[in-house]
Amino acid sequence: MTKLAIFDLDGTLLDTVKDLGSATNYALRECGFPERPVEDYYTLCGRGIYNLFRGAVPEGRADEDTVKKMASLFLPFYDCHKCDMTLPYPGIPEMLRKIAAAGVVPAVASNKYQDGAEKLVRHFFGDIDFIRILGQREGQPIKPDPAIVHQIMAMIPGITSDEVVYVGDSDVDMQTGANAGVRTVGVTWGFRSRAELEAGKPWKIADTAEELGNLICL
């Protein structure tokens, strides 16, 4: 029986790609770089904001000073505009309420920077009692390192790996679940392809939020 369901955020619970792309394009413009089409951000996002900037700037320009400047421009802009076009994927709020009613504890483990992850979860899912919301934090490794999953599991004394499900939409998420030694579910509505998820050998793949809720409540 699943006791703890840990979710990725971008591409899994929330469709954030347009706002992420808009904020990154703003930073690119301010740095004098060309903007990128929103389609590029489906593959650029998911590995933390610094890797996002390294991938978004022109080839050969991803030095640390440029990455830091991108961050200084991106963060205040995104903070003001993070909910302009972002929405939960269809059925996600209902799925979260369903698993909570079944006694499954929800949590978030994201490569989004910590403040952004917390604000988005509270804005869109304020009625859901997440045991912990963890994002990218100074001095902490990012996914696919399993530390973030283990930190959340430590919130529930005595929990075992087979009582945990990790849910995400990318190869990074499939690797994270495997590295943490927990069951992993890939979702097909996010930023990456089914083929990418399948290559990560997840426990299950869900095509809808309803199907995901049923898998978690098995």
Side-chain angles (χ1 to χ4, degrees):
M1 176 182 175
T2 302
K3 292 184 178 179
L4 173 64
I6 306 174
F7 298 92
D8 172 52
L9 186 59
D10 299 297
T12 300
L13 298 180
L14 293 175
D15 184 357
T16 56
V17 71
K18 291 178 182 177
D19 285 328
L20 287 168
S22 176
T24 307
N25 279 341
Y26 166 78
L28 288 170
R29 287 196 307 271
E30 292 297 304
C31 289
F33 298 141
E35 296 180 40
R36 286 181 169 270
V38 68
E39 291 78 14
D40 286 3
Y41 291 104
Y42 285 99
T43 52
L44 289 171
C45 293
R47 294 175 173 83
I49 59 169
Y50 298 111
N51 287 325
L52 165 60
F53 304 147
R54 292 183 184 106
V57 300
E59 187 175 352
R61 299 301 303 272
D63 58 274
E64 288 309 295
D65 286 343
T66 299
V67 170
K68 289 178 181 177
K69 183 177 181 181
M70 287 285 292
S72 72
L73 294 163
F74 171 96
L75 288 168
F77 184 96
Y78 185 69
D79 191 54
C80 292
H81 297 279
K82 61 185 176 296
C83 298
D84 286 1
M85 294 173 281
T86 291
L87 288 171
Y89 287 102
I92 290 296
E94 295 81 2
M95 179 275 298
L96 291 171
R97 287 192 286 269
K98 173 182 177 175
I99 67 167
V104 179
V105 176
V108 169
S110 174
N111 276 345
K112 182 182 286 293
Y113 66 101
Q114 182 68 30
D115 184 63
E118 289 180 0
K119 287 178 177 177
L120 282 172
V121 171
R122 289 170 180 159
H123 178 81
F124 287 104
F125 309 115
D127 62 325
I128 304 298
D129 187 18
F130 289 92
I131 193 169
R132 200 154 189 200
I133 302 163
L134 291 184
Q136 183 178 356
R137 295 151 291 148
E138 191 70 31
Q140 295 291 323
I142 61 173
K143 300 181 301 182
D145 190 288
I148 195 169
V149 172
H150 293 152
Q151 288 163 10
I152 292 171
M153 289 174 64
M155 298 290 293
I156 305 178
I159 196 165
T160 60
S161 296
D162 60 352
E163 295 170 327
V164 181
V165 170
Y166 181 79
V167 182
D169 69 303
S170 72
D171 59 341
V172 169
D173 295 312
M174 302 303 97
Q175 292 165 20
T176 302
N179 291 343
V182 301
R183 289 172 296 150
T184 304
V185 178
V187 300
T188 59
W189 54 77
F191 295 175
R192 307 296 174 79
S193 68
R194 174 182 281 271
E196 180 175 308
L197 296 172
E198 289 175 342
K201 296 180 171 58
W203 171 59
K204 300 285 184 181
I205 292 180
D207 293 313
T208 67
E210 181 180 11
E211 183 180 356
L212 175 60
N214 291 337
L215 288 171
I216 291 172
C217 292
L218 283 177

